[in-house]
Amino acid sequence: MVCPGASATFDATTAGATYLWNDGSTGPTLTTDVPGNYSVQVTVNGCSASDAADLSNFNLQSVSLGPDRTMRLSGSVMIGVTVAGATYFWNTGAITDSIAVSSTGTFWVDATLNGCAVRDSIDVSVTPLPVVDLAPDVAVCPGTQATLDATTPGGNYLWNNGAITPTITVGTGTWSVDVTVNGCTASDAATITNLTPPTVDLGLDQVVCPGASATFDATTAGATYLWNDGSTGPTLTTNAPGNYAVQVTVNGCSTSDAADLSNFNLQSVSLGPDRTMRRTRVRDDRRNRCWCNLFLEHRCHH
């Protein structure tokens, strides 16, 4: 018994003999791959003897890896065969009855039983899932929006808000998208949250004496500043009455505040017009001392 297509040799070699096989051949051996009954007559010195033997094939099981496949996947798919008692050899070098396939190519397996091997092959075309990455979650300033981008060559899009564009501009919430390429669909999602805006308080309006200075303080950790006079420090010191406003920005979010600087409304004080004064004499003696009015003349008497 041999594998289908394999040859077998029948040997009748005898010293000094002649041979006649049932297929008409006359050699001492007969080699054939055709199943059947083979007999030989061997003659030595006019005396003949005969013998016969059968040639048959092993009844091999067929193996099938199935039809060629076009697969849409992000991992792998198993292909394989099962023949009881057989050993296996794949063109990948594997010796198991099945293998995991995750790439395009032709894959074949030999299943060997009783020294006989049968083979089958399969063509696999793998269409990988599209890669969709909306990037990390996004934090935006209150009242602003963010743009989420799912652009994929050849893709069709469906967002959870019904949009079918590759990008959407939206506010806070969780947003997801399905991207389909060549019938394969992949998804991703991102969440948009609000940043906490900075708090700025310049305090109450300030009133100072004319010519005196006041300081407005907007100091905030990690902030940048822009005052309405163009200065960029955390504080503003000035003696000019007016309205002063500041924009304070932290992590891209801005908050503003303003305060007034004014002067006290002082009443005027007058000492009158300039004066020219006449001074009078003063007489002094032991008994009496007289002081005279600065503006009137008097005589002093004993």
Side-chain angles (χ1 to χ4, degrees):
M1 187 173 290
V2 296
C3 300
S7 296
T9 297
F10 297 104
D11 190 348
T13 300
T14 302
T18 60
Y19 310 90
L20 180 62
W21 296 84
N22 60 338
D23 69 347
S25 60
T26 57
T29 64
L30 174 66
T31 299
T32 183
D33 61 0
V34 179
N37 181 266
Y38 292 90
S39 63
V40 64
Q41 178 180 289
V42 179
T43 302
V44 177
N45 297 321
C47 297
S48 298
S50 299
D51 196 18
D54 289 327
L55 175 64
S56 62
N57 289 152
F58 286 107
N59 184 22
L60 295 181
Q61 297 184 35
S62 62
V63 294
S64 176
L65 294 173
D68 294 339
R69 299 187 190 181
T70 298
M71 298 179 294
R72 302 180 177 92
L73 51 96
S74 59
S76 60
V77 66
M78 299 299 296
I79 58 174
V81 296
T82 299
V83 177
T87 59
Y88 307 93
F89 180 77
W90 295 82
N91 61 327
T92 63
I95 57 174
T96 53
D97 62 354
S98 61
I99 60 172
V101 174
S102 59
S103 60
T104 296
T106 297
F107 300 89
W108 56 258
V109 61
D110 286 339
T112 301
L113 182 64
N114 297 322
C116 302
V118 288
R119 174 179 292 188
D120 192 33
S121 63
I122 184 173
D123 290 327
V124 177
S125 177
V126 176
T127 302
L129 290 178
V131 176
V132 185
D133 184 7
L134 295 179
D137 295 339
V138 181
V140 298
C141 300
T144 61
Q145 295 181 310
T147 297
L148 301 178
D149 190 346
T151 300
T152 303
N156 294 311
Y157 311 89
L158 179 61
W159 297 83
N160 60 335
N161 65 352
I164 57 173
T165 52
T167 64
I168 59 172
T169 300
V170 287
T172 57
T174 297
W175 308 94
S176 62
V177 62
D178 292 336
V179 179
T180 301
V181 178
N182 296 325
C184 297
T185 300
S187 302
D188 195 25
T191 298
I192 300 174
T193 57
N194 274 339
L195 291 166
T196 300
T199 299
V200 56
D201 182 7
L202 295 181
L204 300 175
D205 296 340
Q206 298 194 46
V207 182
V208 296
C209 297
S213 296
T215 297
F216 297 103
D217 191 345
T219 301
T220 304
T224 59
Y225 310 89
L226 180 61
W227 297 83
N228 60 340
D229 69 347
S231 59
T232 57
T235 63
L236 174 65
T237 299
T238 181
N239 62 3
N243 179 266
Y244 293 91
V246 64
Q247 177 178 282
V248 178
T249 301
V250 178
N251 296 324
C253 296
S254 299
T255 303
S256 298
D257 194 28
D260 289 329
L261 175 64
S262 58
N263 291 151
F264 285 109
N265 185 18
L266 297 181
Q267 297 184 12
S268 62
V269 178
S270 176
L271 295 177
D274 295 340
R275 299 181 183 181
T276 299
M277 296 177 294
R278 186 174 57 185
R279 190 173 182 181
T280 61
R281 293 183 300 170
V282 177
R283 182 176 179 183
D284 188 8
D285 58 21
R286 297 179 183 176
R287 297 182 180 181
N288 190 24
R289 178 178 296 169
C290 291
W291 295 91
C292 298
N293 188 285
L294 294 174
F295 303 102
L296 301 174
E297 293 186 1
H298 296 277
R299 289 189 179 180
C300 295
H301 303 279
H302 295 294

